[in-house]
Each structure stands twice: as C-alpha cells, then as structure tokens.
Amino acid sequence: MILPFDIIILLFVVICAVAALTVKDLLSAVVILGAYSFFMCLMWTQMGAVDVAFTEASVSASVGTILLITAVFKTTRNSKD
Amino acid sequence: MLDFIMAKYNYWIYIILMMIGFYGMIGKNNLVKKIIGMNIFQTAIILFFISIACKKGGATLPIIEYSHGGEHPVVHAADYLNPLPHVLMLTAIVVMVATLGVAIAIVIRLYRDYKTLEEDEILRKIS
Amino acid sequence: MKSLTIIIVLITGAVLFYGTVDMPDWGDPNSPASRHVSPRYITQTVAETETPNIVTSLLADYRGYDTLGETTVIFGAGMVCILILRSARKREE
C-alpha cells in the first residue's frame, strides 16, 4: 500500500459520492456514479484484491451504469433535489 | 496518537462513505437518487470487508507463485493476502447488480403509472 | 424531516466510529480474520485443487454451493424484472 496514492483515491471517492448525490441532473449523477465505481476499482487494485476489482469494473461500473442510463432515458432527466 | 490515526483512518473514511450513502437512501426525494445512495452504501460495506483482508509486511496477491509444472512449493500463510473476504465480496458485487436491476425495473414501472419520480408526488397521487 | 434524517445518520455514524476503536489495526497480519480458516486455504490449495489462484479455487471448489446460490439469485432477479415490466406492457394494450 502506497500512502499518498491511498489518500488521493479516498479523497476522490468521497468527492464523487457527494457529487453524485447533489447534482440536479440525473444523467450527470449516473455518470458520476460510474466514475465513483472506477475509483473504487483502482482502490481495490492497490489493496491487492484484483479479482474483486476486475468484477467491479466489468459488472458494476459498466453493466450497472448502462442499466441506470437506460432507466434515466426511459423516465425523466430532471429531479428536484 | 499519530499511530492510532494512521491505523484507523481507513475505517473512518469508509464510515463517512457509508453515512453519505445512508443519507442518500433515507433523505433524498428522487427515486434514482435513492438507488444511487444504495449503490454507495453497498460499495462502502464491500470496501470495509476488502480492507479486512489486507496484510502489511510483504504480503502479495493471493496467487501461488512457482506452482506450475507439477511440483508443490512450500507456502507460508503470511506471504499471501487473506483470500476469503475477496470471495465473499465477489458474490456480494454480483448480488448488488441483481438488486440494482430489480430496483430499476420497479422505478420504470412506477414512472409508467404515475409519470413522476419524486416520492412525495407519488404518495400524493396514491392517496 | 430533513433534520431528523441528519440526526439519524449522525447517530449511526457515531456508533460505528465508536466500534472502530476495538477493531484490529489496518493491515494487521495477526488479526482474527487472518488466523482462523484462511491459512489452511492458502497452504493447501495447490495440493488439493491444483489451482494457483486461491480466489478461483475457493469460489469454484471449496464454496461451490455458494456460487450455485448466487446463480439462483441472479436468475430470480431476471425473472422478477421480466414479470414487472411485462405485466405493465400488457395492461397498456
């Protein structure tokens, strides 16, 4: 584990989580959630869990983002909070 | 004091992430925002489990070295990371995507019936 | 309503922060999670399953029923998605 790398990735993860919940546009929120998943994937790689990072990148960051974008396009893009 | 902070700051950041996700689940009004909060919540818990598997002091990935070609090398448990949380969280990630799919199906169905994604408007239309 | 939500979240966070005081240090090789059953998996996996990747041998050999149950969960989720979306389409007709 490399300490500066760890702290930077943790900071990015927290910023992405806050941004995904505060952005008004739902499509932007979903894309920021995809970025959050990829930062989480980097973090697991530097912790040594390569299989989990692989599964996260392929399943959660791609398939989950595609499902959420489909949901946003089938419903509405704007939200009140 | 500095040793205590260095030993625990990872856990504290995971708990902050979990609090953000929990606030998104119970405090936000939009249904897609609730799903995003649930995703953050589950990812924080998976991150906590993965961090349990870490070992300091020269431990490498859980793949046995020099094991091809029929000979069985002597393996010390301190040289490799703990593989058990990785396996359990591999299952948890797949289950996470399954719950995400069901939640999205329910959201699309609700939008077809009520033409809105806000929780209070749906409650007003039901009553 | 908003303040009640924040109070609930802060209470949950405070309880969890209190719980981390008793956790083992980050990356401790002698933590309870690394001493109980995982040394046996690490040392015996090549002799018993001939698989260098311990995660694969655990997932497919030692805990195969777990993976079977996971597959059942995914199948159930897909069936539920189809049922929810299809009944909606039928009612529109």
Side-chain angles (χ1 to χ4, degrees):
Chain A
M1 168 190 150
I2 311 150
L3 188 63
F5 193 66
D6 191 47
I7 290 175
I8 289 171
I9 299 278
L10 278 172
L11 199 67
F12 278 179
V13 162
V14 173
I15 289 172
C16 280
V18 173
L21 281 180
T22 49
V23 162
K24 302 267 188 206
D25 188 12
L26 283 183
L27 188 63
S28 310
V30 168
V31 172
I32 292 171
L33 190 74
Y36 168 87
S37 291
F38 269 107
F39 278 123
M40 204 58 105
C41 170
L42 264 181
M43 184 141 177
W44 288 334
T45 311
Q46 70 105 13
M47 275 186 190
V50 275
D51 298 82
V52 186
F54 189 80
T55 313
E56 167 84 7
S58 66
V59 171
S60 185
S62 62
V63 176
T65 309
I66 289 171
L67 283 176
L68 274 166
I69 287 177
T70 315
V72 169
F73 273 136
K74 278 202 166 252
T75 58
T76 177
R77 254 184 85 164
N78 40 24
S79 79
K80 279 197 295 192
D81 57 354
Chain B
M1 190 63 200
L2 190 63
D3 285 346
F4 184 72
I5 291 175
M6 285 301 291
K8 308 279 196 227
Y9 77 96
N10 272 285
Y11 297 137
W12 296 342
I13 296 177
Y14 307 156
I15 289 170
I16 288 171
L17 264 180
M18 202 217 77
M19 283 161 67
I20 292 169
F22 191 41
Y23 175 74
M25 271 183 84
I26 67 175
K28 288 289 177 181
N29 209 14
N30 192 291
L31 289 175
V32 177
K33 286 285 177 65
K34 277 180 191 284
I35 291 177
I36 289 173
M38 187 179 78
N39 212 325
I40 293 171
F41 193 108
Q42 287 168 328
T43 321
I45 290 171
I46 291 172
L47 185 57
F48 176 71
F49 266 83
I50 293 293
S51 79
I52 290 176
C54 282
K55 285 180 190 172
K56 276 180 184 166
T60 61
L61 309 179
I63 297 172
I64 306 282
E65 290 174 308
Y66 311 118
S67 65
H68 290 291
E71 72 263 25
H72 293 163
V74 179
V75 177
H76 300 290
D79 291 341
Y80 296 96
L81 295 171
N82 188 357
L84 196 53
H86 296 182
V87 176
L88 300 178
M89 290 309 112
L90 216 61
T91 310
I93 285 177
V94 179
V95 173
M96 182 171 101
V97 174
T99 47
L100 183 73
V102 175
I104 283 172
I106 291 173
V107 163
I108 292 176
R109 178 71 193 274
L110 278 175
Y111 187 77
R112 276 185 193 161
D113 283 356
Y114 297 106
K115 301 296 176 208
T116 179
L117 281 183
E118 309 292 326
E119 190 191 4
D120 50 351
E121 294 181 12
I122 290 175
L123 287 176
R124 212 180 301 132
K125 285 187 182 178
I126 286 176
S127 61
Chain C
M1 195 62 205
K2 213 80 170 179
S3 57
L4 181 68
T5 308
I6 292 177
I7 288 171
I8 289 172
V9 169
L10 284 181
I11 287 174
T12 314
V15 171
L16 288 172
F17 270 108
Y18 176 66
T20 56
V21 179
D22 289 336
M23 289 284 296
D25 290 351
W26 195 90
D28 188 10
N30 293 318
S31 66
S34 316
R35 269 184 321 192
H36 180 54
V37 73
S38 75
R40 190 204 173 273
Y41 285 146
I42 293 172
T43 51
Q44 297 297 314
T45 178
V46 175
E48 286 180 352
T49 65
E50 296 284 341
T51 311
N53 194 337
I54 309 175
V55 176
T56 308
S57 72
L58 261 176
L59 191 73
D61 273 336
Y62 292 107
R63 292 174 180 258
Y65 282 116
D66 194 3
T67 311
L68 181 67
E70 175 194 333
T71 320
T72 317
V73 166
I74 298 167
F75 179 73
M79 285 296 116
V80 166
C81 286
I82 291 174
L83 282 178
I84 289 173
L85 293 176
R86 203 185 68 172
S87 64
R89 200 181 301 139
K90 194 177 281 179
R91 217 174 61 179
E92 281 174 7
E93 292 169 359

